[in-house]
Short mmCIF file of all heavy atoms in Angstrom, two decimals:
data_model
loop_
_atom_site.label_atom_id
_atom_site.label_comp_id
_atom_site.label_asym_id
_atom_site.label_seq_id
_atom_site.Cartn_x
_atom_site.Cartn_y
_atom_site.Cartn_z
N GLY A 161 17.12 3.71 -2.03
CA GLY A 161 15.88 4.02 -1.31
C GLY A 161 14.76 2.95 -1.52
O GLY A 161 15.06 1.99 -2.34
N ASP A 162 13.71 3.20 -0.87
CA ASP A 162 12.60 2.28 -1.02
C ASP A 162 11.78 2.49 -2.29
O ASP A 162 10.85 3.34 -2.36
CB ASP A 162 11.74 2.41 0.20
CG ASP A 162 10.58 1.36 0.25
OD1 ASP A 162 10.28 0.76 -0.80
OD2 ASP A 162 10.04 1.12 1.29
N ASN A 163 12.09 1.71 -3.25
CA ASN A 163 11.48 1.99 -4.66
C ASN A 163 9.99 1.65 -4.57
O ASN A 163 9.16 2.22 -5.42
CB ASN A 163 12.14 1.21 -5.74
CG ASN A 163 13.38 1.91 -6.27
OD1 ASN A 163 13.53 3.15 -6.00
ND2 ASN A 163 14.20 1.20 -6.97
N SER A 164 9.60 0.69 -3.76
CA SER A 164 8.14 0.39 -3.74
C SER A 164 7.31 1.54 -3.09
O SER A 164 6.19 1.81 -3.54
CB SER A 164 7.93 -0.90 -3.25
OG SER A 164 7.51 -0.88 -1.86
N ARG A 165 7.96 2.17 -2.22
CA ARG A 165 7.25 3.30 -1.58
C ARG A 165 7.17 4.55 -2.63
O ARG A 165 6.09 5.07 -2.81
CB ARG A 165 8.06 3.88 -0.37
CG ARG A 165 7.47 5.00 0.35
CD ARG A 165 8.51 5.80 1.07
NE ARG A 165 8.98 5.11 2.23
CZ ARG A 165 9.27 5.76 3.37
NH1 ARG A 165 9.00 6.98 3.51
NH2 ARG A 165 9.74 5.04 4.35
N ARG A 166 8.20 4.67 -3.32
CA ARG A 166 8.20 5.73 -4.34
C ARG A 166 7.19 5.41 -5.42
O ARG A 166 6.53 6.30 -5.90
CB ARG A 166 9.61 5.83 -5.03
CG ARG A 166 10.73 6.35 -4.04
CD ARG A 166 12.09 6.05 -4.70
NE ARG A 166 13.11 6.85 -4.06
CZ ARG A 166 14.48 6.40 -3.97
NH1 ARG A 166 14.72 5.18 -4.60
NH2 ARG A 166 15.35 7.17 -3.44
N ALA A 167 7.13 4.14 -5.80
CA ALA A 167 6.17 3.80 -6.81
C ALA A 167 4.75 4.03 -6.35
O ALA A 167 3.87 4.52 -7.07
CB ALA A 167 6.34 2.27 -7.17
N ARG A 168 4.54 3.75 -5.09
CA ARG A 168 3.18 4.04 -4.50
C ARG A 168 2.86 5.53 -4.58
O ARG A 168 1.73 5.88 -4.94
CB ARG A 168 3.14 3.50 -3.06
CG ARG A 168 2.41 2.17 -2.86
CD ARG A 168 2.43 1.70 -1.37
NE ARG A 168 3.65 1.00 -1.04
CZ ARG A 168 4.42 1.28 -0.03
NH1 ARG A 168 4.22 2.31 0.72
NH2 ARG A 168 5.48 0.49 0.15
N PHE A 169 3.85 6.31 -4.25
CA PHE A 169 3.60 7.73 -4.43
C PHE A 169 3.27 8.13 -5.82
O PHE A 169 2.30 8.80 -6.05
CB PHE A 169 4.91 8.44 -3.94
CG PHE A 169 4.92 9.92 -4.12
CD1 PHE A 169 4.06 10.76 -3.43
CD2 PHE A 169 5.76 10.51 -5.13
CE1 PHE A 169 4.06 12.15 -3.67
CE2 PHE A 169 5.72 11.87 -5.32
CZ PHE A 169 4.94 12.68 -4.66
N LEU A 170 4.04 7.62 -6.76
CA LEU A 170 3.72 8.00 -8.15
C LEU A 170 2.42 7.52 -8.64
O LEU A 170 1.77 8.20 -9.37
CB LEU A 170 4.93 7.46 -9.03
CG LEU A 170 6.25 8.21 -8.83
CD1 LEU A 170 7.44 7.52 -9.63
CD2 LEU A 170 6.10 9.71 -9.20
N THR A 171 2.12 6.29 -8.32
CA THR A 171 0.81 5.73 -8.78
C THR A 171 -0.37 6.58 -8.20
O THR A 171 -1.37 6.69 -8.84
CB THR A 171 0.65 4.32 -8.50
OG1 THR A 171 0.90 4.04 -7.15
CG2 THR A 171 1.61 3.49 -9.34
N THR A 172 -0.18 7.04 -6.92
CA THR A 172 -1.25 7.80 -6.37
C THR A 172 -1.43 9.09 -7.11
O THR A 172 -2.53 9.62 -7.45
CB THR A 172 -0.91 8.10 -4.88
OG1 THR A 172 -0.70 6.91 -4.13
CG2 THR A 172 -1.99 9.01 -4.29
N VAL A 173 -0.24 9.77 -7.47
CA VAL A 173 -0.31 10.95 -8.29
C VAL A 173 -0.96 10.58 -9.67
O VAL A 173 -1.87 11.40 -10.06
CB VAL A 173 1.10 11.56 -8.48
CG1 VAL A 173 1.03 12.66 -9.43
CG2 VAL A 173 1.65 11.99 -7.17
N LEU A 174 -0.58 9.54 -10.28
CA LEU A 174 -1.14 9.25 -11.51
C LEU A 174 -2.71 8.98 -11.43
O LEU A 174 -3.41 9.43 -12.28
CB LEU A 174 -0.53 7.87 -12.06
CG LEU A 174 0.84 7.91 -12.66
CD1 LEU A 174 1.28 6.58 -13.13
CD2 LEU A 174 0.90 9.02 -13.77
N ASN A 175 -3.15 8.41 -10.39
CA ASN A 175 -4.49 8.28 -10.11
C ASN A 175 -5.27 9.63 -10.02
O ASN A 175 -6.34 9.84 -10.64
CB ASN A 175 -4.83 7.45 -8.89
CG ASN A 175 -5.07 5.99 -9.20
OD1 ASN A 175 -5.39 5.64 -10.29
ND2 ASN A 175 -4.96 5.16 -8.27
#
Side-chain angles (χ1 to χ4, degrees):
Chain A
D162 186 342
N163 279 344
S164 99
R165 180 205 291 219
R166 288 164 168 155
R168 258 179 272 125
F169 172 69
L170 290 175
T171 52
T172 301
V173 173
L174 285 180
N175 263 340

